């Protein structure tokens, strides 16, 4: 979005351009742009026969306070309808009525009875009696429709804030839900700020203590909370209605401009704490659903441009699994996506984006995969987005799976194979040890051909979609009955294990095993080559009672229960020390980093089994050890992974000292806290030439190398 308008206009000096704006308005920029003396409105519609701009005083007004008919003869340029309205100010509520043919068989669904959101609107208000149903039925819905808000993006004092540009090798992502983070009564924040951007600000010290460096926020674009089964709400937010407006439900300030500024306050506060902000963005579908869905914005403006339609053009392609698919490579939609990203980077200071079901962005208007999709290259080549972290969920809901083959030179990928293979190994699955080894090294079998840095792989074991880490070790089956779909929804391939009891248990032995497995998963996630991500609450064993698809559970099922911080203080401590040590790694600027293949070629490493130099790669193997030299850090590291159900005695390589006592124990997940992980500088020495690793455990040993010393292992 071009928010840099004519400098003379922004300084209040009238020019020919300003006079032109005063007369008829202009087509650029799209959306509502504040000028001295008024606001310019511009919206795209190719096939509309008429467009009306509606101005409202309140979000629940039965009728607009003023209706302006946009003259197609004087106020239309190409397919852009525009008008300048004098004396309007930021905070003005508005919407559109668009006239045209209602002919679903030809892909056109104009409905002048519906108040439409501006696709470029930077703010949205939601009346208390908002009705998704009314937006679907015939008739006027003015009083129950969402409205757009005029926003002046320059009217905010950033106080010198800039994006952080933290190197990926020094990044640990914490995937979290803005509302769920502080909505639980135990959060300790005031009732007014629970579940809000302001509430998150209050909990920044917790994030700092945890040593995470980036938060990845589940969708914060304004979404339709009613896009859910009857009697439930859309909690996750994967139901966007606007790609420029922050979600009003996460704001403690409900004045028209409040959410925009409160969101910026949050970003600024996180940056001051050294924490980057990554947004989970949904450019693959909208909340308008299938042919039975509501008319909220795009459908009523230019249905066939914004959506991929089936051969029967009254039906929507559904590669997203939600009823429709955004036509991302249409020129107008492509521009909107890039403009949205620019806006969030330039005006909201966002550091990165995770693209939900990103593989959909490679489809053309027929749904066919494109060899060089324009929208992805537009994003990657845009100079305003240079240095922004771009993360792809490299699959869609129709079976397209592109982990390792997603198009682009700078995209990182959620590594779904890391998740599956690490789960399989620690569950004790046959044939998992070779995959484990590859995942530890940054998945070169998947990513090596790209000659990219190791952090192309975003490593995770859990995320919002699926079991929490606690539930992964507590349930054999999903338990999604509260979602109202007879447990049909959610993934069936969870690779979980309940250790003999489904759900909570008072058995101390089972609880100890579950604790250990949680620490095993976290250790491998944080220490493997790649960019690690952990899920909100996994550090304190947050549970969803076995629900692996809690998208419609805006309740204690999904919220962060802060009493768990004390209850599972040992796990919290474990993660904190683990993260803190990773952040001490040496890092080079992104542009000078070695590729994964170069790193591995230079690496001094050796694989072992219980015997040195004799790894067991067989299908029945459940253990592995690796020694690696970190020259820059002057360290020798020995990692033991034992997924076997009995203790195993592992031979240790020599680390340089004649007495053989050079190894120090940093981590052993079989030990009780605080010995499970110790402060790096106080790690005890390991006597002798072997180490006994307990059943289903991870052990990390290290030896210090002095200047000029050569290891003899």
């Amino acid at each position: 979005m071009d928010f840099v308008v004519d400098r003379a206009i922004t300084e209040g000096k009238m020019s020919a351009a300003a006079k032109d704006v005063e007369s008829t308005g202009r087509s650029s920029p799209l959306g509502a742009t504040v000028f001295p003396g008024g606001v310019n409105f511009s919206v795209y519609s190719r096939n509309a026969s008429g467009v009306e701009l509606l101005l409202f005083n309140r979000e629940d007004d039965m009728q607009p306070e003023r209706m302006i008919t946009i003259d197609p003869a004087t106020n239309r340029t190409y397919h852009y309808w525009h008008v300048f309205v004098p004396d309007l100010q930021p905070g003005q509520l508005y919407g559109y009525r668009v006239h045209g043919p209602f002919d679903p068989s030809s892909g056109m669904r104009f409905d002048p009875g519906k108040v439409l959101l501006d696709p470029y609107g930077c703010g949205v208000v939601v009346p208390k009696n908002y009705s998704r149903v009314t937006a679907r039925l015939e008739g006027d819905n003015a009083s129950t429709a969402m409205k757009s808000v005029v926003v002046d993006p320059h009217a905010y004092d950033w106080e010198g804030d800039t994006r952080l540009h933290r190197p990926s090798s020094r990044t640990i992502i914490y995937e979290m839900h803005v509302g769920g983070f502080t909505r639980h009564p135990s959060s300790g924040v005031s009732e007014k700020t629970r579940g809000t951007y302001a509430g998150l600000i209050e909990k920044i010290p917790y994030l700092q203590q945890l040593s995470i460096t980036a938060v990845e926020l589940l969708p914060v674009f304004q979404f339709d909370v009613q896009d859910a089964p009857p009697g439930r709400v859309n909690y996750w937010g994967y139901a966007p209605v606007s790609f420029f407006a922050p979600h009003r439900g996460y704001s403690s300030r409900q004045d028209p401009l409040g959410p925009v500024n409160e969101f910026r306050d949050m970003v600024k506060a996180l940056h001051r704490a050294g924490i980057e902000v990554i947004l989970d963005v949904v450019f693959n579908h909208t909340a308008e659903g299938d042919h039975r869905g509501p008319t909220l914005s795009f459908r009523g403006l230019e249905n066939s441009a914004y959506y991929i339609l089936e051969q029967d053009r009254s039906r929507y392609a559904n590669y997203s699994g939600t009823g429709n698919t955004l036509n991302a490579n249409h020129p107008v939609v492509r521009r909107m996506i890039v403009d949205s990203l620019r806006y969030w980077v330039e005006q909201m200071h966002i550091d990165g984006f995770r693209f939900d079901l990103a593989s959909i962005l490679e489809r053309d208007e027929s749904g066919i995969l494109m060899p060089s999709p324009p929208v992805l290259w537009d994003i990657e080549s845009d100079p305003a987005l240079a240095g922004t972290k771009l993360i792809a969920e490299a699959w869609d809901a129709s079976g397209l799976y592109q982990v390792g083959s997603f198009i682009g030179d700078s995209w990182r990928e959620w590594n779904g194979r890391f998740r599956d293979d690490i789960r399989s190994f620690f569950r004790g699955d046959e044939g998992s040890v070779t995959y484990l080894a590859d995942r530890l090294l940054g998945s070169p079998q998947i990513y090596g051909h790209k000659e990219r840095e190791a952090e192309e792989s975003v490593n995770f074991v859990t995320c919002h979609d699926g079991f929490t880490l606690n539930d992964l070790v507590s349930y054999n089956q999903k338990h999604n009955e509260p979602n109202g779909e007879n447990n049909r929804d959610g993934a069936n391939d969870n690779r979980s294990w309940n250790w003999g009891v489904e759900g909570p248990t008072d058995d101390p032995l089972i609880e100890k095993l579950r604790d250990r497995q949680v620490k095993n998963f976290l250790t491998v996630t944080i220490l493997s080559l790649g960019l690690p991500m952990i899920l909100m609450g996994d550090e304190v064993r947050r549970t969803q009672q076995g629900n692996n698809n809690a998208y419609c559970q805006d309740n204690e099922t999904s919220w962060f229960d802060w009493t768990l911080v004390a209850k599972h203080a040992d796990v919290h401590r474990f993660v904190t020390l683990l993260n803190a040590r990773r952040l001490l790694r040496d890092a080079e600027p992104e542009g000078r980093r070695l590729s994964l293949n170069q790193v591995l070629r230079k690496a001094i490493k050796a694989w072992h089994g219980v015997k040195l130099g004799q790894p067991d790669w067989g299908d029945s193997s459940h253990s592995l050890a690796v020694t690696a030299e970190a020259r820059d850090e002057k360290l020798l590291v020995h990692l033991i992974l034992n997924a076997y159900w009995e203790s195993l005695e592992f031979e240790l390589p020599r680390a340089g000292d004649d007495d053989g006592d050079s190894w120090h124990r940093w981590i052993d997940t079989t030990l009780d806290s605080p010995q499970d992980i110790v402060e790096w500088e106080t790690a005890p020495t390991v006597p002798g030439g072997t180490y006994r690793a307990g059943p289903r455990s991870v052990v990390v040993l290290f030896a210090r190398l002095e200047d000029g010393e050569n290891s003899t292992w």
Side-chain angles (χ1 to χ4, degrees):
M1 182 184 287
D2 182 10
F3 283 99
V4 184
V5 296
D6 187 283
R7 189 174 298 276
I9 297 175
T10 61
E11 293 174 355
K13 300 173 183 177
M14 296 305 292
S15 65
K19 292 177 182 178
D20 177 62
V21 169
E22 280 198 325
S23 60
T24 62
R26 64 189 195 185
S27 58
S28 178
L30 282 161
T33 306
V34 178
F35 287 86
V39 177
N40 185 75
F41 295 87
S42 178
V43 67
Y44 169 85
S45 182
R46 176 178 181 175
N47 290 297
S49 60
V51 177
E52 296 160 349
L53 173 66
L54 313 177
L55 303 178
F56 295 88
N57 290 329
R58 294 175 298 275
E59 60 263 33
D60 57 356
D61 281 349
M62 295 289 293
Q63 296 294 331
E65 181 268 336
R66 184 179 175 191
M67 183 177 74
I68 300 170
T69 300
I70 300 178
D71 189 336
T74 59
N75 294 62
R76 180 177 181 177
T77 303
Y78 189 47
H79 302 315
Y80 299 94
W81 302 71
H82 46 80
V83 64
F84 181 81
V85 184
D87 301 324
L88 290 189
Q89 299 294 323
Q92 174 66 54
L93 310 186
Y94 71 100
Y96 290 102
R97 289 197 192 276
V98 180
H99 300 259
F102 183 81
D103 183 10
S105 64
S106 64
M108 288 189 280
R109 292 180 175 271
F110 294 101
D111 183 352
K114 300 298 176 284
V115 174
L116 305 179
L117 290 170
D118 180 356
Y120 277 69
C122 297
V124 173
V125 293
V126 184
K128 292 181 180 178
N129 62 336
Y130 164 70
S131 172
R132 180 176 173 86
V133 172
T134 305
R136 181 172 58 82
L137 301 176
E138 292 184 10
D140 184 284
N141 76 328
S143 66
T144 63
M146 301 186 210
K147 282 90 177 174
S148 296
V149 181
V150 174
V151 174
D152 181 359
H154 304 290
Y156 181 79
D157 184 3
W158 278 104
E159 301 178 289
D161 177 77
T162 59
R163 294 189 294 147
L164 297 181
H165 295 291
R166 182 182 288 275
S168 296
S169 57
R170 289 276 184 88
T171 297
I172 301 173
I173 295 174
Y174 188 74
E175 191 201 28
M176 65 181 299
H177 188 284
V178 171
F181 193 51
T182 61
R183 195 162 288 165
H184 198 282
S186 64
S187 67
V189 304
S190 68
E191 190 169 351
K192 179 183 177 182
T193 58
R194 287 178 195 165
T196 67
Y197 307 120
L200 193 155
I201 292 173
E202 294 185 46
K203 288 296 187 180
I204 288 177
Y206 174 84
L207 298 173
Q208 289 178 293
Q209 181 193 22
L210 198 58
S211 296
I212 60 94
T213 69
V215 290
E216 183 174 301
L217 306 180
L218 264 67
V220 296
F221 293 175
Q222 180 66 46
F223 60 89
D224 185 355
V225 296
Q226 294 182 14
D227 186 8
R232 293 164 181 82
V233 298
N234 192 305
Y235 170 71
W236 282 351
Y238 293 93
V241 297
S242 171
F243 299 111
F244 294 84
H247 186 61
R248 178 164 293 270
Y250 296 155
S251 177
S252 64
R253 295 174 51 184
Q254 289 300 297
D255 58 287
L257 298 174
V260 178
N261 289 331
E262 187 174 322
F263 180 89
R264 289 165 152 182
D265 291 344
M266 177 194 70
V267 173
K268 185 164 58 178
L270 285 164
H271 282 174
R272 285 174 173 169
I275 299 172
E276 290 186 307
V277 182
I278 299 171
L279 300 187
D280 191 337
V281 292
V282 186
F283 291 119
N284 58 76
H285 74 280
T286 77
E288 290 187 308
D290 61 17
H291 59 284
R292 299 161 296 185
T295 298
L296 305 171
S297 177
F298 313 97
R299 171 175 296 173
L301 283 163
E302 196 62 52
N303 185 60
S304 60
Y306 283 106
Y307 295 110
I308 298 177
L309 304 180
E310 297 283 10
Q311 189 171 0
D312 173 359
R313 296 183 68 76
S314 68
R315 297 294 190 266
Y316 294 83
N318 187 20
Y319 302 109
S320 66
T322 63
N324 66 50
T325 304
L326 207 63
N327 191 8
N329 284 291
H330 185 284
V332 169
V333 184
R334 192 168 90 221
R335 182 183 304 115
M336 178 185 69
I337 291 172
V338 175
D339 285 347
S340 168
L341 296 172
R342 277 201 205 116
Y343 175 75
W344 288 97
V345 167
E346 295 178 341
Q347 303 300 329
M348 309 296 264
H349 289 203
I350 294 304
D351 302 280
F353 304 95
R354 178 264 187 189
F355 291 73
D356 178 62
L357 299 181
S359 292
I360 286 177
L361 302 182
E362 299 190 18
R363 296 185 183 272
D364 67 12
E365 63 181 7
S366 301
I368 297 172
L369 218 58
M370 305 177 76
S372 188
V375 68
L376 294 182
W377 289 112
D378 284 355
I379 293 168
E380 180 160 313
S381 62
D382 193 299
L385 303 179
T388 301
K389 290 181 172 66
L390 303 175
I391 302 171
E393 183 184 37
W395 54 83
D396 68 14
S398 294
L400 181 60
Y401 193 78
Q402 296 181 302
V403 172
S405 60
F406 193 77
I407 287 177
D409 296 329
S410 65
W411 292 81
R412 294 167 177 82
E413 297 175 12
W414 267 24
N415 190 347
R417 292 179 179 171
F418 182 97
R419 171 199 61 207
D420 296 343
D421 293 335
I422 300 304
R423 289 184 179 193
S424 290
F425 174 77
F426 282 113
R427 191 173 65 168
D429 290 357
E430 296 284 300
S432 58
V433 71
T434 56
Y435 295 109
L436 166 75
D438 194 67
R439 304 301 164 256
L440 291 172
L441 298 182
S443 299
Q445 292 178 0
I446 300 174
Y447 296 109
H449 68 284
K450 287 194 171 185
E451 291 297 337
R452 288 275 308 283
E453 69 278 9
E455 288 78 24
E456 182 179 5
S457 174
V458 177
N459 298 334
F460 68 102
V461 172
T462 57
C463 64
H464 70 277
D465 189 1
F467 279 146
T468 66
L469 199 49
N470 175 83
D471 293 356
L472 183 67
V473 301
S474 303
Y475 294 90
N476 280 357
Q477 306 294 331
K478 64 183 182 182
H479 295 271
N480 298 355
E481 293 83 1
N483 297 351
E485 300 180 44
N486 296 316
N487 210 33
R488 292 189 301 267
D489 62 310
N492 293 313
D493 181 15
N494 295 294
R495 309 189 189 198
S496 60
W497 191 5
N498 66 14
W499 301 95
V501 176
E502 189 76 349
T505 179
D506 294 328
D507 188 320
L509 293 179
I510 293 178
E511 267 298 284
K512 191 169 184 177
L513 277 170
R514 290 177 176 176
D515 235 24
R516 188 185 310 168
Q517 283 288 73
V518 165
K519 294 171 185 176
N520 291 342
F521 283 124
L522 289 166
T523 302
V524 172
T525 300
I526 298 300
L527 297 186
S528 295
L529 285 178
L531 199 167
M533 182 184 82
I534 59 177
L535 173 64
M536 177 186 86
D538 276 355
E539 73 278 10
V540 293
R541 289 185 56 182
R542 183 179 71 87
T543 180
Q544 293 178 173
Q545 294 82 50
N547 192 325
N548 75 351
N549 188 36
Y551 75 100
C552 58
Q553 299 296 326
D554 188 4
N555 50 49
E556 293 193 14
T557 298
S558 301
W559 300 343
F560 190 117
D561 180 352
W562 288 86
T563 66
L564 296 175
V565 177
K567 181 178 180 180
H568 293 293
D570 63 320
V571 180
H572 180 266
R573 173 185 174 275
F574 188 93
V575 179
T576 299
L577 291 178
L578 192 61
N579 289 346
R581 175 57 205 169
R582 181 186 172 91
L583 296 183
L584 296 178
R585 299 189 340 173
D586 289 332
E588 293 183 2
E590 299 284 90
R592 300 206 304 268
R593 302 221 50 229
L594 298 176
S595 72
L596 174 60
N597 286 343
Q598 289 172 322
V599 169
L600 295 179
R601 281 194 294 267
K602 288 182 62 176
I604 301 175
K605 65 181 187 303
W607 297 106
H608 316 285
V610 292
K611 298 290 186 181
L612 287 177
Q614 299 179 37
D616 182 356
W617 302 113
D619 285 349
S620 60
S621 174
H622 300 288
S623 64
L624 187 67
V626 59
T627 310
E629 187 173 319
R631 291 179 178 177
D632 293 339
E633 299 178 66
K634 299 177 183 177
L635 284 176
L636 198 61
V637 178
H638 190 70
L639 174 65
I640 299 172
L641 302 111
N642 181 21
Y644 194 56
W645 43 90
E646 294 180 4
S647 297
L648 295 175
E649 194 85 16
F650 286 82
E651 292 181 350
L652 297 180
R654 292 289 300 274
D657 282 3
D658 292 336
D659 59 13
D661 290 342
S662 295
W663 290 109
H664 297 260
R665 189 197 74 237
W666 180 39
I667 293 173
D668 185 338
T669 60
T670 59
L671 300 178
D672 293 333
S673 184
Q675 297 304 313
D676 53 350
I677 183 171
V678 298
E679 296 283 353
W680 189 263
E681 295 302 322
T682 62
T685 58
V686 176
T690 63
Y691 192 93
R692 189 169 185 81
R696 309 190 190 282
S697 68
V698 173
V699 175
V700 182
L701 311 177
F702 70 90
R704 296 182 178 90
L705 299 176
E706 302 300 329
D707 289 332
E709 180 181 355
N710 292 316
S711 59
T712 59
W713 55 278

